[in-house]
Amino acid sequence: MSLIYTRSIGRSLSQLGSLRLRPVLCCRSWTALRGISATTRSHADARLDLPALDSKWQQKWASFPQPAHGTKHGADGKYVLPMFPYPSGYLHLGHLRVYTIADVVARFHSLQGRNVLLPMGWDAFGLPAENAAIERGVDPATWTKANIAKMKEQLGLMNGSWDWSCELSTCDPSFYKHTQKIFLLLQEQGLAYQAEAEVNYDPVDKTVLANEQVDANGCSWRSGAKVEKRKLKQWFLRISEFRESLLQDLDVLAKNEAWPERVLAMQKNWLGKSTGANVKFPIMAFDHDMHAAIEVFTSRPDTLFGVQYVALASTHPVVSKLAAKDPELQAFLDTLPGLPPDSKVGYMLPHIRAVNPLAYHEETPDAAKRSIPVYVAPYVIGDYGEGAVMGVPAHDVRDHAFWRTHHYNEPVRFVLAASEDESTTAMVNDPFVDHGIMTEHSGLFKGKSSKETGGMLVAMLEKAGLAKSVEKWRLRDWLISRQRYWGTPIPIVHCGSCGAVPVPDEQLPVALPEVDEHWAGKKTGNPLETLEDWVNTSCPKCDGPAKRDTDTMDTFVDSSWYYMRFIDAHNKGEPFSAEKAKSMLPVDLYIGGIEHAILHLLYARFIFKFLMTSSSLVPETGEEAFFEPFQRLITQGMVHGRTYINPSTGRFLKPDEVDLTDPLRPKVVATGETATVTYEKMSKSKHNGVDPTDVITQHGADATRAHMLFQAPVSEILDWDGDKIVGVTRWLGRVHDLVVKLGSATTATEPKTPRSYFEDTAGRLDSLDTQELAQWDADVAVWRDVQKTIASVTASYEKVYALNTVVSDLMSLANTIQENSGTLSEGIQRQAVSALLRMMAPITPAFAEECWSLLGFQAETGSMFRGEGKASFPVVDGTLDLPLLQPRKQTCAVQVNGKLRAVVDIPKPGGLVGDQLKEWIIQEILKTDEGKAKLANGTVDVAQAKKVIVIKEGKLVNFVL
């Protein structure tokens, strides 16, 4: 009986011993129990060089032709995709983690007999490359392509199984030709349009920035410059047309935890659907020509009686009009870009007051009839609702904080409470934000449900022309224009007679011109704007003079459809064929960071829905069909690096400033103080970055991959500690030793399955001698553990988030096999090792290949993953439930302090000795009904015994309490 489940992985690792490995092989068939001549090797002859194995098998894999991925749908297909990288020039450990996860899952499905597509490409456009080009005086294409070559070489070191036959780069004209085609399909249906918009403009990089590219201080995340607000004519994609589908289909993605709940919540919040009413607050203006009313959107009309102020966005028309004549107001507006988004500052407009529309009803309480101040507040968003909010300090957290900042000595007015008899003054320091019962401050509505009251108030105000029921969305149309060079040119020409005219298909791509002088001169700005030979062209409609659009597209446009190009990467005429789209999409498993949970995923969902339901690329699709690009989404945690901090100064220490003579007590070299150790996001400033190439070169890709997975569940932050890789290499060494001892089978005997072996032998148990019975017990214990591990590991591979438990389960199985190896029959041992290697293969592919070949099952023209020698992932064979495979029982007399307390039947210990036997036997005794009743109560609890004496291999046990 195996003890592996009663010991910690830490103890298991401590027993692994030193190792130097060479690859092992697995058997696909049962080798005979006797008559096998095994080739043995001494430990010295079998030194394991993991980096050398990487090189050996990378070369062999490269010599095999790529399998055709063909169709995907059905049991024989799987499309696994990690989010493609930006070619910055180097891979970091975050890259290594996501690509390891993707490759492991892809190899697992391949071993299960599925046709797997695992592509790789490059998100190659973007401002970083343009800034690098300006800084270095080189063409961004040159810089980008050099980075791609370097990163591709690094990817080749990690034992991945990428299908390079469908590699793509978004900066390649053969790709962005189709990005332009998709843009024109959108424009054809009115889903791409130009409009004036207030944008974030970076005066240093001279380009528009998305909101997420502006930090909390109102500065560009790249140049650091203070961002300006400008009105520019920009291109938009009408994503709002798909908002209902984008929202409703989140419910489908939530089923069976296909997408993480956190991501679904973020998507839902970004879409921001809310129902409520537009309410008009009449205004009183003194010596100013103003609108008759300020219109406010509210989703909580039940709180109207509690409005104590109105707040306007800085861009509200009323504010703009007043600022033209009020220099103090204008000065305040000039400070807003530098304020954090949660700032509580405000400017009370001195010349206007607002009136609650309920003030015109005679039964409204006097407090709600008084005029209220109007503020300009940075927390009010100009492009949501009407750019105005009604301030209800008693029932909104932000409004409460704002009111307390500006009216700290004035009470808030609670107009609803949790229950009818609850005192409203009891919550004076905390807003009540839920629905409840209307209070006395609500006039005639006192005691009514707030939800019911809200509807009644809106209906009443609608009759007076002061309100209207509406539906609002936070989502805004997607602004894609960027005033920069390194992006997909917008395929539009502007004609004085014809307006904005699409570039004909036969003239695509509109390619980026070479502007070497611009880069050589390290000039900023968009060179397309001043390149007259490129800008000036003829109109495709009237052939008159026209000008090309000089904006390029947001790089999110490229990433919104790249996963669709992978399935048909060499199609010159179309982005992809309808047949391949229908057979190979959606992506089965999409893997990437949580930082892309909103925009990238939202835009990809939008473009996929458009192309699959509304474009000419995929005709004849039903309107009721469900179209989502990523069937299942896996978000992996970040990788944090170890930092050393000077406790006296708080400064991050460089590697040469830390004395690691005693790794458990790192010292500050300059002072001798013990350094503070933390794990934080890797960065140059913290001196905690780790080059994955260095780790792979030292330890090998397989050990690095296994360690990466073993250290933390996929979804959690991984605190990288490279010192602990030795535990994984010891495990690999132990497995390698098992393989080397087994050697290559040479028997020609008819193969047997483990099940047939157990069934044949079970009928002869009474005639077996002691040694043969010990072998039977060992075989049963190991094979039961094999079956349990197959079930557990298969489930963990399929779940993905539990990949760390795959490594721990396989370590435990290796220990079980090793502990019983002296007693096991060779046939069971080969089958157990074979199953172990096939389960390890997705994580440690080169190591598994080598071991597979050592066992003699490696074909000359194939490998475990492809060709003639391809292995299959093990499956449970049903033996675990067979009565004959239950551990043999023996009678155990249990004494406590020398007195007999119970007689129980327990399994035979199967060769266990020492502390392992004692630990196991306590558990087995307490599993029995009599053991639970007599030996695990308050008076007698053998688990607390000071001493355990085991006699005759467990037939008699004495517990000394």
Side-chain angles (χ1 to χ4, degrees):
M1 181 72 178
S2 169
L3 289 180
I4 204 61
Y5 294 102
T6 67
R7 292 192 297 277
S8 67
I9 290 301
R11 182 182 300 177
S12 300
L13 288 175
S14 70
Q15 298 171 358
L16 290 176
S18 62
L19 77 95
R20 302 298 255 173
L21 309 187
R22 288 187 58 178
V24 179
L25 67 81
C26 305
C27 325
R28 287 173 295 163
S29 61
W30 174 255
T31 52
L33 298 178
R34 292 175 173 81
I36 298 178
S37 173
T39 304
T40 58
R41 306 179 185 207
S42 70
H43 189 73
D45 292 336
R47 298 179 66 84
L48 177 63
D49 186 342
L50 289 170
L53 290 188
D54 293 340
S55 298
K56 172 183 176 179
W57 286 100
Q58 286 163 14
Q59 291 177 17
K60 286 197 173 187
W61 292 330
S63 68
F64 301 145
Q66 287 280 357
H69 41 259
T71 60
K72 173 196 72 71
H73 277 305
D76 65 339
K78 212 73 172 177
Y79 184 177
V80 178
L81 182 65
M83 294 180 184
F84 66 167
Y86 175 75
S88 59
Y90 69 97
L91 290 177
H92 52 67
L93 283 176
H95 288 124
L96 183 64
R97 190 180 196 191
V98 66
Y99 300 139
T100 294
I101 294 166
D103 184 63
V104 165
V105 174
R107 288 184 182 276
F108 164 69
H109 287 296
S110 176
L111 286 172
Q112 286 195 314
R114 297 187 177 98
N115 188 6
V116 178
L117 173 61
L118 178 67
M120 181 56 68
W122 311 97
D123 192 8
F125 271 140
L127 192 57
E130 194 158 337
N131 287 344
I134 294 169
E135 180 182 341
R136 294 167 174 78
V138 298
D139 187 338
T142 302
W143 185 80
T144 299
K145 290 175 182 176
N147 287 346
I148 288 174
K150 181 178 179 181
M151 292 177 71
K152 188 172 181 179
E153 181 180 350
Q154 288 180 300
L155 276 174
L157 298 176
M158 62 170 291
N159 290 346
S161 55
W162 321 113
D163 185 348
W164 292 109
S165 69
C166 50
E167 178 184 10
L168 61 81
S169 176
T170 59
C171 68
D172 191 319
S174 67
F175 178 86
Y176 69 72
K177 166 187 176 179
H178 299 294
T179 303
Q180 292 172 340
K181 170 69 174 177
I182 292 170
F183 173 89
L184 294 177
L185 289 172
L186 287 158
Q187 197 242 5
E188 181 182 293
Q189 297 196 27
L191 297 175
Y193 65 94
Q194 270 188 305
E196 287 282 336
E198 183 180 76
V199 296
N200 304 309
Y201 189 81
D202 185 327
V204 173
D205 285 332
K206 297 182 179 178
T207 186
V208 169
L209 300 175
N211 288 332
E212 66 274 11
Q213 294 171 323
V214 182
D215 66 19
N217 298 315
C219 296
S220 167
W221 70 323
R222 293 203 178 274
S223 72
K226 186 69 71 174
V227 169
E228 301 172 359
K229 293 291 186 180
R230 292 190 180 184
K231 280 277 190 179
L232 295 175
K233 196 170 186 179
Q234 302 283 278
W235 282 99
F236 292 84
L237 299 185
R238 207 180 300 274
I239 189 175
S240 57
E241 287 291 312
F242 287 77
R243 61 194 182 189
E244 282 290 355
S245 175
L246 290 168
L247 178 62
Q248 292 174 8
D249 287 348
L250 291 176
D251 292 336
V252 181
L253 294 175
K255 293 179 179 178
N256 301 316
E257 299 181 336
W259 278 40
E261 184 178 345
R262 179 184 175 191
V263 174
L264 295 171
M266 293 167 77
Q267 291 261 310
K268 187 173 292 187
N269 290 338
W270 191 263
L271 290 166
K273 181 180 181 180
S274 55
T275 56
N278 277 345
V279 180
K280 292 180 180 179
F281 281 74
I283 60 174
M284 300 183 296
F286 305 96
D287 299 325
H288 284 77
D289 180 21
M290 283 288 110
H291 297 84
I294 293 173
E295 197 166 271
V296 173
F297 171 75
T298 177
S299 60
R300 290 294 302 274
D302 55 323
T303 64
L304 268 167
F305 285 107
V307 177
Q308 294 183 261
Y309 68 94
V310 170
L312 305 179
S314 61
T315 55
H316 194 281
V318 168
V319 177
S320 300
K321 190 168 186 177
L322 290 174
K325 298 180 180 180
D326 185 343
E328 289 188 14
L329 172 57
Q330 186 58 55
F332 172 77
L333 296 178
D334 291 340
T335 67
L336 296 186
L339 296 175
D342 60 347
S343 172
K344 303 302 183 296
V345 302
Y347 182 93
M348 187 169 70
L349 298 174
H351 305 294
I352 64 173
R353 302 277 289 183
V355 177
N356 192 320
L358 295 176
Y360 299 102
H361 195 284
E362 60 182 12
E363 298 295 335
T364 294
D366 290 342
K369 289 183 176 180
R370 301 188 189 104
S371 67
I372 55 179
V374 180
Y375 283 90
V376 181
Y379 80 85
V380 183
I381 302 172
D383 61 354
Y384 180 72
E386 304 302 324
V389 301
M390 60 185 208
V392 190
H395 303 293
D396 183 273
V397 173
R398 290 186 309 172
D399 295 350
H400 186 272
F402 185 85
W403 182 260
R404 286 300 183 201
T405 300
H406 297 276
H407 299 271
Y408 60 89
N409 59 344
E410 296 184 36
V412 299
R413 187 162 66 247
F414 285 86
V415 298
L416 60 144
S419 59
E420 190 171 354
D421 61 350
E422 185 168 346
S423 171
T424 58
T425 58
M427 298 184 293
V428 68
N429 294 319
D430 198 15
F432 178 71
V433 298
D434 296 326
H435 286 282
I437 303 298
M438 305 303 292
T439 70
E440 60 184 355
H441 295 296
S442 303
L444 290 174
F445 298 93
K446 178 184 176 182
K448 292 185 178 295
S449 158
S450 65
K451 288 185 178 181
E452 178 186 359
T453 298
M456 295 171 67
L457 291 177
V458 172
M460 183 175 72
L461 292 174
E462 278 185 316
K463 291 180 181 179
L466 292 172
K468 183 180 180 180
S469 296
V470 293
E471 177 183 279
K472 292 288 183 180
W473 294 76
R474 183 174 184 266
L475 178 71
R476 292 293 174 265
D477 282 344
W478 178 9
L479 190 160
I480 67 164
S481 293
R482 296 294 181 267
Q483 290 69 47
R484 63 184 183 222
Y485 168 87
W486 193 235
T488 298
I490 292 177
I492 295 290
V493 297
H494 298 276
C495 173
S497 301
C498 306
V501 181
V503 173
D505 279 0
E506 62 271 16
Q507 294 181 23
L508 298 179
V510 177
L512 288 169
E514 294 184 1
V515 286
D516 293 339
E517 292 183 2
H518 180 86
W519 311 119
K522 299 186 176 181
K523 300 176 183 178
T524 59
N526 182 2
L528 297 179
E529 296 175 353
T530 58
L531 202 65
E532 293 187 3
D533 290 345
W534 185 82
V535 172
N536 294 319
T537 185
S538 58
C539 174
K541 276 190 177 180
C542 69
D543 206 31
K547 292 184 180 294
R548 295 190 187 279
D549 199 303
T550 58
D551 283 353
T552 55
M553 297 185 207
D554 179 8
T555 56
F556 277 125
V557 180
D558 304 317
S559 60
S560 71
W561 78 279
Y562 79 105
Y563 54 92
M564 305 181 80
R565 183 63 177 171
F566 278 133
I567 66 171
D568 200 7
H570 304 291
N571 190 330
K572 294 181 179 180
E574 300 289 349
F576 50 83
S577 72
E579 292 74 19
K580 288 195 174 181
K582 291 177 180 178
S583 66
M584 300 184 68
L585 294 171
V587 175
D588 291 285
L589 190 67
Y590 196 40
I591 308 167
I594 193 70
E595 65 271 19
H596 299 295
I598 300 177
L599 295 182
H600 162 58
L601 291 174
L602 190 68
Y603 295 150
R605 295 178 63 217
F606 158 53
I607 293 297
F608 186 78
K609 288 176 182 293
F610 164 70
L611 292 176
M612 296 295 286
T613 64
S614 306
S615 75
S616 57
L617 290 179
V618 187
E620 300 178 5
T621 52
E623 292 183 3
E624 300 302 319
F626 173 68
F627 290 104
E628 284 290 333
F630 312 118
Q631 195 167 36
R632 188 174 176 214
L633 175 69
I634 298 294
T635 54
Q636 88 285 351
M638 297 181 66
V639 181
H640 285 185
R642 184 163 49 194
T643 62
Y644 298 99
I645 302 172
N646 187 322
S648 299
T649 65
R651 185 175 65 86
F652 292 105
L653 298 170
K654 298 178 181 177
D656 58 1
E657 295 176 320
V658 185
D659 179 0
L660 295 175
T661 303
D662 181 356
L664 299 178
R665 295 189 179 183
K667 303 287 186 183
V668 181
V669 171
T671 64
E673 295 178 275
T674 300
T676 303
V677 180
T678 64
Y679 284 88
E680 301 188 38
K681 182 179 179 180
M682 293 186 179
S683 69
K684 292 181 180 178
S685 64
K686 297 173 183 174
H687 314 294
N688 66 342
V690 176
D691 186 343
T693 305
D694 292 342
V695 180
I696 290 173
T697 300
Q698 180 180 356
H699 300 284
D702 285 353
T704 305
R705 287 160 60 109
H707 176 67
M708 175 75 74
L709 297 178
F710 182 45
Q711 287 297 103
V714 165
S715 61
E716 295 182 10
I717 290 173
L718 189 159
D719 291 334
W720 178 258
D721 186 350
D723 296 339
K724 293 181 179 178
I725 294 183
V726 64
V728 172
T729 57
R730 285 174 177 166
W731 165 53
L732 297 178
R734 196 170 189 185
V735 174
H736 182 260
D737 286 346
L738 286 171
V739 171
V740 170
K741 290 177 181 177
L742 279 172
S744 180
T746 59
T747 182
T749 311
E750 283 296 317
K752 277 188 178 182
T753 65
R755 182 170 185 141
S756 63
Y757 157 68
F758 286 119
E759 289 174 341
D760 291 348
T761 310
R764 300 185 290 105
L765 287 182
D766 292 340
S767 64
L768 299 182
D769 59 26
T770 302
Q771 184 176 350
E772 289 172 327
L773 285 173
Q775 178 177 285
W776 167 268
D777 290 338
D779 286 348
V780 168
V782 167
W783 196 247
R784 286 179 59 83
D785 205 1
V786 168
Q787 296 301 297
K788 290 177 182 177
T789 305
I790 291 172
S792 173
V793 164
T794 301
S796 296
Y797 273 130
E798 290 173 344
K799 188 176 181 181
V800 182
Y801 284 116
L803 287 178
N804 60 311
T805 65
V806 172
V807 180
S808 59
D809 284 348
L810 295 178
M811 287 178 170
S812 296
L813 178 58
N815 283 347
T816 299
I817 298 171
Q818 180 66 37
E819 290 162 2
N820 290 278
S821 61
T823 313
L824 280 172
S825 65
E826 185 169 346
I828 287 293
Q829 186 164 349
R830 282 186 175 279
Q831 284 289 353
V833 171
S834 168
L836 173 64
L837 289 174
R838 286 177 284 151
M839 288 186 281
M840 291 174 63
I843 297 173
T844 59
F847 172 80
E849 290 271 32
E850 182 72 9
C851 292
W852 189 254
S853 65
L854 286 178
L855 289 179
F857 292 89
Q858 187 68 60
E860 290 295 325
T861 58
S863 76
M864 287 188 77
F865 301 98
R866 196 182 310 161
E868 186 181 346
K870 183 175 180 179
S872 60
F873 200 83
V875 295
V876 293
D877 62 4
T879 53
L880 196 60
D881 299 325
L882 293 177
L884 62 90
L885 240 66
Q886 301 307 309
R888 290 188 304 119
K889 300 285 186 178
Q890 68 178 18
T891 299
C892 174
V894 183
Q895 295 180 345
V896 177
N897 294 333
K899 294 183 178 180
L900 183 67
R901 290 297 185 95
V903 178
V904 297
D905 289 333
I906 63 172
K908 294 187 181 246
L912 296 174
V913 295
D915 290 340
Q916 293 179 358
L917 174 59
K918 294 174 183 178
E919 184 179 352
W920 174 84
I921 208 163
I922 291 173
Q923 291 187 353
E924 293 302 325
I925 289 172
L926 294 180
K927 285 180 183 178
T928 65
D929 292 338
E930 189 173 358
K932 292 176 187 176
K934 297 181 178 180
L935 305 170
N937 52 48
T939 305
V940 178
D941 186 355
V942 297
Q944 306 301 320
K946 297 177 182 178
K947 188 175 182 181
V948 182
I949 303 170
V950 181
I951 301 171
K952 295 183 179 180
E953 296 184 337
K955 292 180 180 178
L956 173 64
V957 181
N958 184 25
F959 294 97
V960 180
L961 301 182

